[in-house]
Amino acid sequence: MNNLWNDINLRVFTSNLLGQSDELVLHGGGNTSVKSKVDGEEILFVKGSGWDLVSIKAEGFAPVKMETLLDMARLKELSDTDMVSGQKAAMIDKSAPNPSVEAILHALIPFKVVDHTHADAVVTISNSKNGIELIKKIYPDFLIVPYVMPGFILAKTIYEMTQDFDWSKCQGIILHNHGIFTFDDDAKKSYDKMIEAVSKAEDFLSENVKLDINPRPSKTYVNLDKLKVLIEHHKGHEISLHVNKSTLALFYASKENLKEFATRGVLTPEHIIRTKRVPMIIEGDMEGALFEFMGEYKKYFEEFSKDEICLNPAPNYAVIKDFGIVSFGKNEKEASIINDIVEHTMLAVLRADKLGGYQGISLKDCFEMEYWELEQAKLKKIT
Ligand SMILES: [Zn+2]
């Protein structure tokens, strides 16, 4: 008889530990799993959507039949909508949350415990111009996967890369421009491997990047009430502003060629849903800056869209020259989540610039993430 209580509780414990560090995951980012047997059947307990690693409990894990997940990995094509409904049908407890979109990938990794984070240090190096070469040097025992869209395409890519693969020699996986996986049959060891691997990237950064965050004091006045009204008008609902005038934010906002500097994309693809690909840049006329942002957003939509519905083109945050960062959320909580993501992005951009230049995923990859059919399905239900 397998002791399921023990598997899940250890899994909850190390998931919470990973979630406690905002340098590993932010607000719903990352996912974890454990494989266990229930009534003789192999089951993957994987983080359910809507749960944060820091506070996840046993009921936050979705129990999905391994056999179904592994069958899915062998398919040539699978829409994300079909993947989600197929996974839901393969859950042994229908009241559990929807499994993470990375469930198939977790199933493919032949170890009991799997951890996935978007560690700042790893994505900072990965999002630099020579990122992939640097990552290969730092992680010689890891499987390095070039950027592909999360979900089925990512699982399929790893399935194909690991045919005739010696997993016993593999210490983890780096998803370029996205994050890192570690795994083991033991929950503590998988957690240890994560910390050890991320520490390698942190050591590399502290050896190779010297940042001097030292802005001039700001005397810039910004009419925040006017900004709020303007953004609310274009979003069509009330918003909360989160104003960030920290040393880091002011330094970031005081950079030369601010528009080119501060619009180089997201740190990890999931962030796009919160922050959009880029901020609005205000260097004077607020209204002009907003129209410029929305015009460029519509152009980006038209360039890549097929039959998608355009999201509201107003920005989710602004970088204001010699002032700082202002985030726009539906409420205070959302505005502060956006601010947290931007805070981590700013530091990563500044550091990656010292490694030869920050470079996030392409516009096309951003579009695919932002207009992921799972997100669009929700919109289509509303409209
Ligand atoms: Zn991820």
PDB file of all heavy atoms in Angstrom, residues 264-275:
ATOM      1  N   ARG A 264      11.819  46.272 -24.446  1.00  0.00           N
ATOM      2  CA  ARG A 264      12.444  45.098 -25.060  1.00  0.00           C
ATOM      3  C   ARG A 264      11.821  43.790 -24.600  1.00  0.00           C
ATOM      4  O   ARG A 264      12.446  42.739 -24.669  1.00  0.00           O
ATOM      5  CB  ARG A 264      13.954  45.137 -24.813  1.00  0.00           C
ATOM      6  CG  ARG A 264      14.644  46.162 -25.710  1.00  0.00           C
ATOM      7  CD  ARG A 264      16.110  46.280 -25.425  1.00  0.00           C
ATOM      8  NE  ARG A 264      16.363  46.968 -24.160  1.00  0.00           N
ATOM      9  CZ  ARG A 264      17.539  46.980 -23.542  1.00  0.00           C
ATOM     10  NH1 ARG A 264      18.563  46.329 -24.057  1.00  0.00           N
ATOM     11  NH2 ARG A 264      17.681  47.632 -22.402  1.00  0.00           N
ATOM     12  N   GLY A 265      10.569  43.876 -24.150  1.00  0.00           N
ATOM     13  CA  GLY A 265       9.814  42.639 -23.940  1.00  0.00           C
ATOM     14  C   GLY A 265       9.900  42.042 -22.553  1.00  0.00           C
ATOM     15  O   GLY A 265      10.612  42.535 -21.677  1.00  0.00           O
ATOM     16  N   VAL A 266       9.150  40.960 -22.366  1.00  0.00           N
ATOM     17  CA  VAL A 266       8.960  40.363 -21.042  1.00  0.00           C
ATOM     18  C   VAL A 266      10.094  39.408 -20.661  1.00  0.00           C
ATOM     19  O   VAL A 266      10.793  38.880 -21.518  1.00  0.00           O
ATOM     20  CB  VAL A 266       7.614  39.605 -20.977  1.00  0.00           C
ATOM     21  CG1 VAL A 266       6.453  40.568 -20.982  1.00  0.00           C
ATOM     22  CG2 VAL A 266       7.488  38.611 -22.121  1.00  0.00           C
ATOM     23  N   LEU A 267      10.196  39.190 -19.359  1.00  0.00           N
ATOM     24  CA  LEU A 267      11.257  38.350 -18.799  1.00  0.00           C
ATOM     25  C   LEU A 267      10.934  36.869 -18.981  1.00  0.00           C
ATOM     26  O   LEU A 267      11.811  36.056 -19.240  1.00  0.00           O
ATOM     27  CB  LEU A 267      11.364  38.706 -17.309  1.00  0.00           C
ATOM     28  CG  LEU A 267      12.558  38.285 -16.508  1.00  0.00           C
ATOM     29  CD1 LEU A 267      13.846  38.666 -17.202  1.00  0.00           C
ATOM     30  CD2 LEU A 267      12.490  38.935 -15.116  1.00  0.00           C
ATOM     31  N   THR A 268       9.681  36.508 -18.818  1.00  0.00           N
ATOM     32  CA  THR A 268       9.232  35.127 -19.011  1.00  0.00           C
ATOM     33  C   THR A 268       7.820  35.243 -19.609  1.00  0.00           C
ATOM     34  O   THR A 268       7.092  36.183 -19.287  1.00  0.00           O
ATOM     35  CB  THR A 268       9.286  34.331 -17.682  1.00  0.00           C
ATOM     36  OG1 THR A 268       8.952  32.962 -17.933  1.00  0.00           O
ATOM     37  CG2 THR A 268       8.355  34.868 -16.628  1.00  0.00           C
ATOM     38  N   PRO A 269       7.462  34.342 -20.549  1.00  0.00           N
ATOM     39  CA  PRO A 269       6.251  34.574 -21.348  1.00  0.00           C
ATOM     40  C   PRO A 269       4.969  34.829 -20.557  1.00  0.00           C
ATOM     41  O   PRO A 269       4.158  35.650 -20.956  1.00  0.00           O
ATOM     42  CB  PRO A 269       6.128  33.297 -22.190  1.00  0.00           C
ATOM     43  CG  PRO A 269       7.170  32.365 -21.709  1.00  0.00           C
ATOM     44  CD  PRO A 269       8.187  33.158 -20.997  1.00  0.00           C
ATOM     45  N   GLU A 270       4.826  34.153 -19.413  1.00  0.00           N
ATOM     46  CA  GLU A 270       3.599  34.337 -18.618  1.00  0.00           C
ATOM     47  C   GLU A 270       3.339  35.786 -18.202  1.00  0.00           C
ATOM     48  O   GLU A 270       2.194  36.167 -17.970  1.00  0.00           O
ATOM     49  CB  GLU A 270       3.738  33.540 -17.323  1.00  0.00           C
ATOM     50  CG  GLU A 270       2.846  32.354 -17.226  1.00  0.00           C
ATOM     51  CD  GLU A 270       3.209  31.547 -15.989  1.00  0.00           C
ATOM     52  OE1 GLU A 270       3.298  32.127 -14.888  1.00  0.00           O
ATOM     53  OE2 GLU A 270       3.410  30.335 -16.141  1.00  0.00           O
ATOM     54  N   HIS A 271       4.396  36.558 -18.067  1.00  0.00           N
ATOM     55  CA  HIS A 271       4.222  37.938 -17.592  1.00  0.00           C
ATOM     56  C   HIS A 271       3.384  38.782 -18.539  1.00  0.00           C
ATOM     57  O   HIS A 271       2.802  39.782 -18.143  1.00  0.00           O
ATOM     58  CB  HIS A 271       5.584  38.612 -17.411  1.00  0.00           C
ATOM     59  CG  HIS A 271       6.353  38.099 -16.238  1.00  0.00           C
ATOM     60  ND1 HIS A 271       7.642  38.482 -15.973  1.00  0.00           N
ATOM     61  CD2 HIS A 271       6.011  37.226 -15.256  1.00  0.00           C
ATOM     62  CE1 HIS A 271       8.070  37.884 -14.878  1.00  0.00           C
ATOM     63  NE2 HIS A 271       7.099  37.100 -14.433  1.00  0.00           N
ATOM     64  N   ILE A 272       3.343  38.384 -19.804  1.00  0.00           N
ATOM     65  CA  ILE A 272       2.689  39.213 -20.814  1.00  0.00           C
ATOM     66  C   ILE A 272       1.204  39.429 -20.520  1.00  0.00           C
ATOM     67  O   ILE A 272       0.646  40.483 -20.808  1.00  0.00           O
ATOM     68  CB  ILE A 272       2.924  38.614 -22.220  1.00  0.00           C
ATOM     69  CG1 ILE A 272       2.859  39.735 -23.258  1.00  0.00           C
ATOM     70  CG2 ILE A 272       1.947  37.532 -22.566  1.00  0.00           C
ATOM     71  CD1 ILE A 272       3.526  39.385 -24.549  1.00  0.00           C
ATOM     72  N   ILE A 273       0.582  38.445 -19.904  1.00  0.00           N
ATOM     73  CA  ILE A 273      -0.836  38.553 -19.579  1.00  0.00           C
ATOM     74  C   ILE A 273      -1.058  39.685 -18.565  1.00  0.00           C
ATOM     75  O   ILE A 273      -2.086  40.341 -18.555  1.00  0.00           O
ATOM     76  CB  ILE A 273      -1.364  37.208 -18.993  1.00  0.00           C
ATOM     77  CG1 ILE A 273      -0.991  36.027 -19.894  1.00  0.00           C
ATOM     78  CG2 ILE A 273      -2.855  37.243 -18.717  1.00  0.00           C
ATOM     79  CD1 ILE A 273      -1.517  36.099 -21.312  1.00  0.00           C
ATOM     80  N   ARG A 274      -0.072  39.905 -17.711  1.00  0.00           N
ATOM     81  CA  ARG A 274      -0.183  40.943 -16.676  1.00  0.00           C
ATOM     82  C   ARG A 274       0.272  42.316 -17.169  1.00  0.00           C
ATOM     83  O   ARG A 274      -0.326  43.330 -16.852  1.00  0.00           O
ATOM     84  CB  ARG A 274       0.715  40.584 -15.478  1.00  0.00           C
ATOM     85  CG  ARG A 274       0.453  39.230 -14.875  1.00  0.00           C
ATOM     86  CD  ARG A 274      -0.686  39.289 -13.913  1.00  0.00           C
ATOM     87  NE  ARG A 274      -0.688  38.139 -13.011  1.00  0.00           N
ATOM     88  CZ  ARG A 274      -1.651  37.932 -12.143  1.00  0.00           C
ATOM     89  NH1 ARG A 274      -2.655  38.771 -12.047  1.00  0.00           N
ATOM     90  NH2 ARG A 274      -1.603  36.880 -11.368  1.00  0.00           N
ATOM     91  N   THR A 275       1.392  42.336 -17.875  1.00  0.00           N
ATOM     92  CA  THR A 275       2.058  43.619 -18.153  1.00  0.00           C
ATOM     93  C   THR A 275       1.908  44.093 -19.590  1.00  0.00           C
ATOM     94  O   THR A 275       2.293  45.209 -19.894  1.00  0.00           O
ATOM     95  CB  THR A 275       3.574  43.516 -17.874  1.00  0.00           C
ATOM     96  OG1 THR A 275       4.125  42.509 -18.734  1.00  0.00           O
ATOM     97  CG2 THR A 275       3.851  43.150 -16.421  1.00  0.00           C
TER      98      THR A 275
END
